[in-house]
Amino acid sequence: MTQPIAVFDSGLGGLTVLRALRSRLPQEDFVYFADTRYLPYGDRPESFIQARGQAITAALVARGAKAIVVACNTATAAAAELIRASTLRPVVALEPAVKPAASLTRSGVVGVLATTRTLASARFQRLVQTHAGTVRVIPQACPGLADAIETQGPDSPRVAALLDEYVTPLAQAGADVVVLGCTHYPWVRAGIAARLAPGVTIVDTGEAVARQVERRLQGESHLGGHGQLQLATSGNPLQVRETVARLWGAPLPVESWSI
Ligand code: DGL
């Protein structure tokens, strides 16, 4: 019961999911792994992401994780089935919120911002086929955005230029619902909203994932802990620590793990 819930992402995008998890399950212990050494996943081959997903899951389970949260749409798209097959622990993964977006739209046009790899996946195609119905879904790949958010900061000129490039076409196409299909993008939610018309709904998946984790662990009577948080990275821990402080708003220790 007092084992941690493990959360991982290619970098620090998954902290947006961790934030929702901590606010829903404040008594739980969490361990967060940022695979920063290999950020971004979004432009990498599927086989690479599959190997990373399985290796990270094995390492987190070996360190006592009672559940795994794949806080990365790209890793889910490439590797969710393989990750699930590789462990007996509950695995909660996330994917772009096409289904809720399709029920929210009034204009009949939904935009999805995500990585190239997520949008090119068979899983995403299935998601659209199953849930979009007559709604027009505009997939907008955002190469470079997750990386720029993390390395240059959400308020950097590079991020502003990329948001101009990626969000403007969705506004012009008349999307009244925009899905944040990458866990890095909630860090630039305000910048995205500023490029859309005032009534446009922005949908992110952090809270839905937190509810799902709660349901899964409640079902297995596995909730409980001391509210502790441990952070680790495959990249440079000092650099990651600085970025965490900027994004999370508080300095937190970051360990170096070689996985
Ligand atoms: N945060 C990740 C996602 O949700 C991916 C960012 C990346 O590594 O390209 O898709």
Side-chain angles (χ1 to χ4, degrees), residues 73-74 95-98 101 110-116 118-119 124 137-143 145 149 162-171 175 177-186 188-189 191-193 195-196 200-205:
N73 293 266
T74 311
E95 56 192 1
V98 170
V110 164
V112 181
L113 298 165
T115 66
T116 309
T118 297
L119 296 177
F124 181 74
V137 174
I138 305 177
Q140 175 65 58
C142 307
L145 183 56
I149 290 169
L162 291 173
L163 290 180
D164 285 343
E165 187 182 336
Y166 300 145
V167 181
T168 314
L170 300 181
V177 181
V178 171
V179 174
L180 305 186
C182 167
T183 54
H184 278 77
Y185 305 164
V188 292
R189 192 186 180 111
I192 291 170
R195 287 163 176 83
L196 295 166
V200 174
T201 306
I202 297 177
V203 189
D204 118 56
T205 29

Side-chain angles (χ1 to χ4, degrees), residues 197-222:
V200 174
T201 306
I202 297 177
V203 189
D204 118 56
T205 29
E207 274 166 33
V209 171
R211 282 197 301 273
Q212 173 70 0
V213 170
E214 184 179 43
R215 269 196 300 270
R216 285 294 297 275
L217 293 180
Q218 243 163 13
E220 306 195 15
S221 313
H222 272 162

Side-chain angles (χ1 to χ4, degrees), residues 46-178:
E46 197 170 50
S47 56
F48 180 89
I49 303 167
Q50 290 171 342
R52 289 307 293 159
Q54 286 172 290
I56 293 166
T57 300
L60 291 169
V61 169
R63 285 170 189 265
K66 67 182 172 191
I68 305 289
V69 180
V70 184
C72 177
N73 293 266
T74 311
T76 300
E81 283 80 13
L82 287 170
I83 291 172
R84 287 210 170 92
S86 73
T87 177
L88 294 173
R89 303 292 149 112
V91 173
V92 175
L94 81 179
E95 56 192 1
V98 170
K99 188 179 175 186
S103 68
L104 284 169
T105 180
R106 302 210 178 283
S107 69
V109 184
V110 164
V112 181
L113 298 165
T115 66
T116 309
R117 171 66 49 210
T118 297
L119 296 177
S121 67
R123 201 181 169 101
F124 181 74
Q125 305 307 323
R126 274 201 306 275
L127 194 64
V128 172
Q129 270 159 19
T130 315
H131 298 297
T134 55
V135 168
R136 183 174 159 224
V137 174
I138 305 177
Q140 175 65 58
C142 307
L145 183 56
D147 196 27
I149 290 169
E150 206 158 302
T151 56
Q152 304 189 36
D155 301 321
S156 62
R158 174 77 184 139
V159 166
L162 291 173
L163 290 180
D164 285 343
E165 187 182 336
Y166 300 145
V167 181
T168 314
L170 300 181
Q172 283 166 351
D176 67 344
V177 181
V178 171

